[in-house]
Amino acid sequence: MYFIDPHVHMISRTTDDYERMTRMGCVAISEPAFWAGYDRGSAASFHDYFRQLTEFEPMRAGWSGIQHYTWLCINAKEAENVSLAREVIKLIPEFLDRPNVLGIGEIGLNKNTMNESTIFQEHVDLAVRMDQQILIHTPHLQDKFKGTHMIVDMLRADYRVQPQRVLIDHVEEHTVRLARDHGFWCAMTLYPTTKCTPARAADIIEQYGDEQIMVNSAGDWGPSNPLAVPDFIQEMRKRGHSETKIKKIVYDNPLKFFSQSKNFRFQAPDITYGTGKP
Amino acid sequence: MSSPQTARQILDRHYLEIRSKILDLAASLDRVDRAGKDGTQDDPRLAKLRSGIELLLTPGTDRAERVQMLFSDTYVENWMKK
Ligand SMILES: [Zn+2]
């Protein structure tokens, strides 16, 4: 089955991973800007990072036949440094017209601090002024419920935000309704340890349905698995869910959400692989 | 939308897996106790784990959500107005 991984940090992965993802049916990915594992020393480092995400990475993905899209921001962890964050936000507009940029992300909260909230709201302001979609990181573990609630509060307080153009990521059992009840899209992240598993993601689908929801691997430099979406497909098949329903979650839904972005020019896989058939 | 599997099918598929997860829990708690008494018995995290295990024995179809809430920080209404 063809799939799209809507959240994976491929700059931290090898070309071999791209190859394995292609063989498993991956046709496109989207890569939000995130924390590199250390705090960067200056805004210039982010400028270089944005160039990597918009120049080299789409080319490298293309070598494996994968279409690469991206989202730009300063992540919540480094947003604690408000003055650096404001310098980085000023750099973003020059990149928004690059052909693989879908919007602003992954913005959000990490430790649910006031500085993080300030920079979150400034990113949202940039997104609505520049007519961009938004991809949101929610905190992990004990911070998640509170942080997701705070994020929803901030989004709802800005009357310009269109919920159907916002994706709230890393939802779990206790936060999925918070996102969906207010009309936002949401995504579940499948981790090999400590967080949501393919089985629990399938449980959430069985409880809350398959509208405005998707799954991703959030593969990065830490323990993670860029083939987590195929694991979810396998879990859904074992339970007897239809191919149509599975495809809706791993392919149709990301396409529908991304299609609201003016830079999203997706090539359906049969065309990509040059069979000559439409 | 619900599960296409019957309760019997789910239990057949997962019985040994659940059994093994209970054993993992038991062995982990044994390991903490075996390591001796260094005041850890009063650690609030152990109390949380105990509450989580008790929660598993209550009825319902939202145990996972309730375990999540047990391990979550409290959200304070009107935080933005501060
Ligand atoms: Zn991420």
Side-chain angles (χ1 to χ4, degrees), chain B residues 9 18 21 49:
Chain B
Q9 284 169 328
I18 297 170
K21 285 177 180 166
L49 292 174

Side-chain angles (χ1 to χ4, degrees), chain A residues 7-9 32-35 106 135 137 140 169-170 189 191 216 218-220:
Chain A
H7 185 147
V8 58
H9 301 287
F34 85 137
W35 188 58
E106 57 182 304
L135 191 151
H137 165 93
H140 298 300
D169 215 322
H170 316 317
T189 297
Y191 293 93
N216 60 60
D220 59 18

Side-chain angles (χ1 to χ4, degrees), chain B residues 10-75:
Chain B
I10 296 170
L11 191 59
D12 286 348
R13 184 179 157 206
H14 293 290
Y15 174 70
L16 286 177
E17 193 182 307
I18 297 170
R19 175 184 181 274
S20 140
K21 285 177 180 166
I22 294 173
L23 277 169
D24 271 346
L25 270 180
S28 304
L29 295 174
D30 284 349
R31 214 171 296 138
V32 174
D33 284 342
R34 214 168 50 234
K37 296 192 176 24
D38 54 3
T40 314
Q41 285 312 318
D42 303 322
D43 191 308
R45 289 173 300 178
L46 273 181
K48 271 244 159 99
L49 292 174
R50 228 171 274 126
S51 308
I53 292 166
E54 281 163 13
L55 203 154
L56 302 185
L57 295 173
T58 59
T61 55
D62 62 345
R63 291 185 197 85
E65 184 178 349
R66 285 185 282 134
V67 169
Q68 290 275 25
M69 290 309 294
L70 176 70
F71 289 98
S72 292
D73 289 347
T74 314
Y75 162 74

Side-chain angles (χ1 to χ4, degrees), chain A residues 54-93:
Chain A
T54 55
E55 293 171 16
F56 179 64
E57 207 52 37
M59 181 170 74
R60 192 166 73 105
W63 295 340
S64 302
I66 291 179
Q67 298 166 61
H68 182 281
Y69 293 93
T70 193
W71 306 75
L72 306 177
C73 76
I74 175 167
N75 59 85
K77 202 165 162 63
E78 286 171 283
E80 187 58 28
N81 182 339
V82 171
S83 58
L84 173 68
R86 287 183 172 146
E87 278 182 70
V88 175
I89 288 174
K90 279 196 202 119
L91 296 175
I92 296 173

